[in-house]
């Protein structure tokens, strides 16, 4: 489990939603709630566009302990271990 598994998941050819579901439930401990898929996808998209400093909205009922309901994309990427899901073709 970990980064190598995340790379395998990212290269699986599955839809990104399924990749993140698999990553959050099977590759992260403790498992990450699936409500974080949408903000994770937003953070990935921002990173791929070179906009990692832009803010991502947390889902209703969730807050980051430091940033609250708006979290920089790079923080989301680090917190959710999303590095493997960012396309190398930037």
């Amino acid at each position: 489990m970990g980064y190598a598994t995340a790379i395998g998941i990212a290269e699986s050819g599955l839809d990104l939603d399924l990749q993140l579901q698999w990553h959050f439930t099977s590759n992260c401990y403790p498992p990450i709630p699936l409500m974080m898929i949408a903000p994770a996808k937003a953070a990935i998209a921002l990173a791929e566009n070179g906009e990692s400093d832009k803010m991502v909205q947390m889902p209703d009922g969730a807050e980051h302990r430091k940033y609250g309901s708006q979290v920089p994309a790079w923080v989301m990427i680090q917190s959710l271990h999303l590095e493997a899901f960012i396309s190398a073709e930037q």
Side-chain angles (χ1 to χ4, degrees):
M1 300 260 169
Y3 186 69
T5 301
I7 289 174
I9 294 168
E11 294 176 350
S12 68
L14 294 171
D15 174 79
L16 183 57
D17 284 4
L18 290 174
Q19 291 176 23
L20 292 173
Q21 181 178 344
W22 189 9
H23 173 63
F24 287 169
T25 60
S26 301
N27 196 39
C28 295
Y29 186 83
I32 295 171
L34 296 180
M35 70 179 179
M36 295 303 294
I37 289 175
K41 288 173 60 177
I44 290 167
L46 288 170
E48 288 179 339
N49 289 325
E51 301 175 310
S52 296
D53 289 333
K54 290 204 173 186
M55 303 302 263
V56 175
Q57 178 68 42
M58 292 287 281
D60 289 339
E63 287 194 359
H64 189 275
R65 65 180 167 262
K66 180 177 179 183
Y67 295 99
S69 63
Q70 295 278 322
V71 181
W74 68 268
V75 171
M76 185 83 60
I77 290 162
Q78 287 182 347
S79 299
L80 301 177
H81 313 288
L82 300 173
E83 296 86 352
F85 300 94
I86 297 171
S87 173
E89 303 169 9
Q90 296 183 41

